[in-house]
Each structure stands twice: as structure tokens, then as C-alpha cells.
């Protein structure tokens, strides 16, 4: 590998400084870009950069650092059951609101909206091929916060009007504003307060690649979130959980899948629901048939009234088209599965199935990490 600089992570200024200090203790030269030189503590989304040759060691160190942060924040828990809906005040959030409020009513919880705003950065000078960046001054920052508060007020009024008209169930809701990187703040909130579920929007496969940013935050969250995530493509044709009739659960015959399936059934709580248990493999192994038969027996015993189907898909899921074709053919409303937790290195160089489906499928997802 060369000595060229690569971006290791994008974090808030405070966390970037802590990462830099630890890496340098291990002899890894580290720089931070996109700083406001006058007020660096106000910068968000700064880049932690290292030499390319140090990347493998640095990834392992950062993974350990973030595990320690999780432990430190583990004692600060939520006080009330809640559905978390991250928002950006776009038209897409309406679908998330509909589902989030109906889930909250079904499970007697409140709704928490989380809006993460950032302070824009721009280049002010350049010399010797090194650019110096500055974020907005205090006055512009106050305007950004003021605008965010105005958006919250407008959305509060809109939601109250929809509740009065009977379009949304009357459940408690509140807003929380945070400055920072959206995916980082959402994951941090989930680790600290453990919401029952996160409801987010995705762009779906019909949105052009120029809008790749739409849904990319959801993809990052869904790949790392410790809480269940319900992801809704823009073109989802239904508006409430009760509209979900056919669910496909992707299983690898892991015992944790049974826990995740139980959770999915309790979450949807629909007597008319039909579940397709599917397993994908390149070869039709006899043992797979035995394990699938075991799942069939388990659910026949524990959920005798549940409508079930069992399918073996010929192929791997590295190409999501195989799975997407099956979902379309069977008119599946929701794809659910338990995603294995993976380290930072794996997520960076080998995106998981959840990540791929979020960006390239029109089927809603329910993903757990058990």
C-alpha cells in the first residue's frame, strides 16, 4: 500500500479528536480535515484521515474504541417505550410517520422524532494543494437552529391536524434535535435509549442514482443498529402495519432466527398474516431440508393458526436480484431477517444483505440484530 491519505471515518469533532489521540498512541499518523480553525469544537462531520498502509490496524483500533464507547453509554437507558422516527422534513417522512404512529398505537408506546442538523462547511482558501475549511459563524448557526425549530413547529401542527382529522392515531409524540452526522447520532440514540423500533424511509430501486443519498443513511443505520429497524421504500403501496399480509422471513437455520421470527409475529400482530420461510443455497443439501422441516414443526406447534409456506431458493444472496424476483412473484409485502453483527472492516469492504436491499429493492424490510 502507498502512503497516500485515506478517510478512515467521518465523526463529530470531539470523537474525531479522541480517535486521533488513540491512533497516535499506537504510532499511526493521523490528520483531521474540514476543521473550523477558529471554532473547531463546532465542526461536525470532520474526516479522520490516515495513511493507506495503516488502514487494517486502524480499523481494528477504531472498532475497539467504539465498543468501549458503547459500554460507557450503556447505563443511560430510555424511561418509556417508544418508536423512533429519524426525520429530515422531506416528503418521504410522511410514510414513516404513518407507520410509526400506527405501530405506537398497536404497542402502546410514544413516538420520538429525531432530527439531526449539520453546519455547512465551505472552502475559504487554498495553498500548496491543501485547502482550509471553515464552517458558518455563530450567527448562521443560530439561523440553522432557528430554522430547524420552525420546521419542528410546522410538523407538530401538521401531525396534530392529522390526528384531529382521524388520519393518525392519537399517541404521545415529541421531537429531539441534535447537531452532527445523522447516522452517528441515530445509532448513538439507539444505544443509549433502546427504542422498541426505528422506522425510516429508503429510496427504493426506481429512484435514480443521482439521489443515492436518499436511503444511504438508512442503509448505514440498518447495518449497525442494535435495535429493530423497519425500512420503508418511497413507493410502498400501503400505509399501516395492518396492511401487511404476506411476510417473507429469510432464515439460515440459526436458533436466533426463531427469536427474531417470534418478535416479528408479535410486532405485526395480524391474524391474517401469512409467513414464507425461505432459505437460499447454491446446492440443495439434504440437511437443509431437515432443518427447514424442523422450523415447520416448531411453528405448527407454537402458532397453529399461522399460515406458513416454506421455500428453498436456488442461488446465493450476493446477487439480490434472485431474492427480489422471488418477493415480486410471491407478492411479498415485507422481508424480515436477522442480520449478523459485523465489524467495521467487514461493513466497509463487504456490504451486507440489508444494505443492498435498502438501496436496490422496493420491498419494505424489518431487520433485527439478535
Amino acid at each position: 500500500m502507498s502512503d497516500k491519505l485515506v478517510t478512515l471515518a467521518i465523526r463529530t469533532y470531539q470523537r474525531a479528536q479522541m480517535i486521533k489521540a488513540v491512533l497516535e498512541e499506537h504510532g499511526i499518523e493521523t490528520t483531521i480535515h474540514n476543521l473550523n480553525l477558529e471554532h473547531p469544537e463546532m465542526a461536525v462531520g470532520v474526516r479522520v484521515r490516515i495513511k493507506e498502509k495503516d488502514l487494517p490496524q486502524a480499523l481494528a483500533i477504531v472498532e475497539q474504541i467504539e465498543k468501549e464507547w458503547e459500554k460507557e453509554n450503556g447505563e443511560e437507558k430510555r424511561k418509556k417505550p417508544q418508536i423512533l422516527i429519524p426525520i429530515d422534513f422531506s416528503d418521504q417522512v410522511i410514510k414513516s410517520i404513518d407507520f410509526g404512529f400506527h405501530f405506537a398505537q398497536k404497542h402502546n408506546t410514544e413516538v420520538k422524532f429525531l432530527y439531526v442538523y449539520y453546519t455547512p462547511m465551505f472552502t475559504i482558501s487554498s495553498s500548496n494543494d491543501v485547502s482550509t475549511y471553515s464552517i458558518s459563524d455563530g450567527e448562521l448557526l443560530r439561523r440553522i437552529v432557528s430554522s430547524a425549530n420552525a420546521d419542528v413547529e410546522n410538523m407538530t401542527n401538521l401531525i396534530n391536524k392529522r390526528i384531529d382529522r382521524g388520519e393518525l392515531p392519537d399517541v404521545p409524540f415529541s421531537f429531539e434535535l441534535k447537531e452532527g452526522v445523522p447516522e452517528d447520532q441515530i445509532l448513538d440514540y439507539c444505544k443509549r435509549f433502546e427504542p422498541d423500533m426505528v422506522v425510516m424511509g429508503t429510496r427504493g430501486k426506481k429512484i435514480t442514482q443521482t439521489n443515492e443519498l436518499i436511503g444511504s443513511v438508512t442503509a448505514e443505520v440498518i447495518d449497525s443498529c442494535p435495535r429493530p429497524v423497519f425500512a420503508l421504500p418511497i413507493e410502498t403501496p400501503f400505509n399501516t402495519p395492518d396492511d401487511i399480509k404476506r411476510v417473507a422471513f429469510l432464515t439460515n437455520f440459526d436458533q436466533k432466527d426463531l427469536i427474531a421470527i417470534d418478535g416479528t409475529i408479535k410486532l405485526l400482530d395480524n391474524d391474517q398474516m401469512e409467513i414464507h420461510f425461505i432459505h437460499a443455497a447454491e446446492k440443495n443439501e439434504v440437511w437443509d431440508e431437515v432443518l427447514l422441516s424442523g422450523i415447520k414443526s416448531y411453528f405448527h406447534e407454537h402458532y397453529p393458526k399461522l399460515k406458513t409456506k416454506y421455500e428453498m431458493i436456488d442461488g446465493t444472496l450476493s446477487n439480490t436480484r434472485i431474492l427480489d424476483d422471488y418477493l415480486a412473484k410471491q407478492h411479498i409485502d415485507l422481508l424480515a431477517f436477522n442480520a449478523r453483527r459485523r465489524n467495521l472492516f467487514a461493513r466497509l469492504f463487504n456490504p451486507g444483505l440489508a444494505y443492498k436491499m435498502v438501496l436496490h429493492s422496493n420491498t419494505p424490510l424489518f431487520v433485527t440484530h439478535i
Side-chain angles (χ1 to χ4, degrees):
M1 295 186 181
S2 68
D3 284 343
K4 73 175 184 179
L5 293 180
V6 295
T7 298
L8 172 67
I10 301 176
R11 296 291 185 269
T12 59
Y13 173 76
Q14 290 82 0
R15 287 205 169 183
Q17 282 287 73
M18 288 188 281
I19 290 173
K20 181 176 186 292
V22 175
L23 290 177
E24 290 183 342
E25 286 179 3
H26 288 79
I28 298 176
E29 184 179 343
T30 308
T31 60
I32 295 178
H33 285 196
N34 293 9
L35 289 180
N36 176 357
L37 299 182
E38 294 183 1
H39 303 286
E41 71 282 355
M42 295 174 59
V44 298
V46 300
R47 298 174 182 272
V48 180
R49 307 199 75 193
I50 60 172
K51 293 180 180 179
E52 188 177 28
K53 65 182 179 64
D54 294 325
L55 186 59
Q57 181 186 1
L59 283 169
I61 293 172
V62 170
E63 183 78 15
Q64 185 59 39
I65 293 172
E66 296 190 336
K67 283 182 180 178
E68 293 299 322
W69 284 337
E70 288 183 29
K71 292 179 182 178
E72 290 174 5
N73 292 326
E75 296 181 358
E76 188 179 3
K77 301 298 183 181
R78 60 187 170 98
K79 295 181 180 179
K80 297 180 181 179
Q82 60 182 221
I83 304 295
L84 178 67
I85 307 179
I87 57 173
D88 58 3
F89 299 112
S90 67
D91 293 339
Q92 184 182 359
V93 79
I94 298 299
K95 186 74 69 174
S96 300
I97 291 174
D98 289 345
F99 273 87
F101 270 67
H102 282 93
F103 272 125
Q105 180 190 44
K106 184 183 286 285
H107 298 283
N108 192 28
T109 67
E110 66 176 18
V111 170
K112 173 69 75 173
F113 290 103
L114 177 63
Y115 175 54
V116 182
Y117 63 91
Y118 64 94
T119 311
M121 292 177 265
F122 50 90
T123 302
I124 59 173
S125 65
S126 179
S127 61
N128 299 324
D129 297 326
V130 177
S131 297
T132 303
Y133 293 85
S134 172
I135 65 171
S136 55
D137 58 17
E139 176 60 28
L140 182 53
L141 179 57
R142 284 191 290 272
R143 292 182 183 180
I144 291 172
V145 174
S146 176
S147 176
N149 284 320
D151 287 334
V152 167
E153 184 178 356
N154 290 336
M155 181 163 286
T156 299
N157 292 334
L158 174 63
I159 290 173
N160 284 328
K161 288 179 181 178
R162 294 190 66 196
I163 291 174
D164 292 340
R165 293 196 297 262
E167 297 175 8
L168 291 175
D170 188 2
V171 298
F173 68 94
S174 59
F175 289 82
E176 183 161 340
L177 274 66
K178 292 283 188 180
E179 181 186 8
V181 181
E183 52 267 43
D184 285 352
Q185 291 293 345
I186 295 167
L187 292 172
D188 182 67
Y189 186 94
C190 290
K191 291 169 185 174
R192 289 190 291 118
F193 298 106
E194 296 185 348
D196 295 89
M197 180 172 58
V198 183
V199 180
M200 301 183 69
T202 73
R203 67 177 181 85
K205 66 182 179 181
K206 292 185 179 180
I207 305 301
T208 63
Q209 295 299 316
T210 57
N211 289 323
E212 184 75 20
L213 184 60
I214 301 176
S216 63
V217 172
T218 304
E220 291 288 347
V221 171
I222 209 172
D223 217 23
S224 309
C225 189
R227 308 305 300 162
V229 180
F230 191 87
L232 288 158
I234 292 175
E235 297 186 354
T236 300
F238 40 85
N239 296 312
T240 74
D242 291 337
D243 295 327
I244 299 173
K245 305 299 183 184
R246 293 189 176 187
V247 178
F249 193 96
L250 189 63
T251 177
N252 286 320
F253 308 124
D254 191 307
Q255 287 186 347
K256 292 180 179 179
D257 287 350
L258 298 180
I259 301 174
I261 295 168
D262 283 333
T264 303
I265 293 172
K266 292 175 182 176
L267 172 75
L268 297 175
D269 190 24
N270 188 338
D271 293 336
Q272 304 301 314
M273 185 171 62
E274 178 180 286
I275 293 188
H276 294 229
F277 295 96
I278 55 179
H279 174 71
E282 287 186 293
K283 296 180 180 180
N284 188 6
E285 301 286 350
V286 175
W287 187 241
D288 287 344
E289 296 285 356
V290 173
L291 292 172
L292 196 59
S293 176
I295 288 180
K296 187 183 300 186
S297 299
Y298 174 87
F299 282 95
H300 179 72
E301 178 181 351
H302 289 81
Y303 298 95
K305 296 182 179 180
L306 183 67
K307 299 176 183 178
T308 57
K309 289 187 177 182
Y310 303 86
E311 300 281 353
M312 302 285 289
I313 297 179
D314 184 18
T316 67
L317 297 180
S318 57
N319 182 353
T320 57
R321 183 182 57 80
I322 296 173
L323 179 57
D324 222 20
D325 288 346
Y326 174 86
L327 300 178
K329 183 178 179 180
Q330 298 296 325
H331 305 288
I332 298 298
D333 298 319
L334 176 71
L335 174 64
F337 58 93
N338 184 46
R340 294 179 180 274
R341 291 198 180 189
R342 304 179 311 141
N343 61 32
L344 180 64
F345 188 89
R347 296 198 306 270
L348 185 62
F349 293 103
N350 183 26
L353 174 64
Y355 196 105
K356 295 175 183 176
M357 293 299 291
V358 162
L359 295 181
H360 303 290
S361 175
N362 283 330
T363 302
L365 302 179
F366 179 65
V367 181
T368 57
H369 290 273
I370 297 174

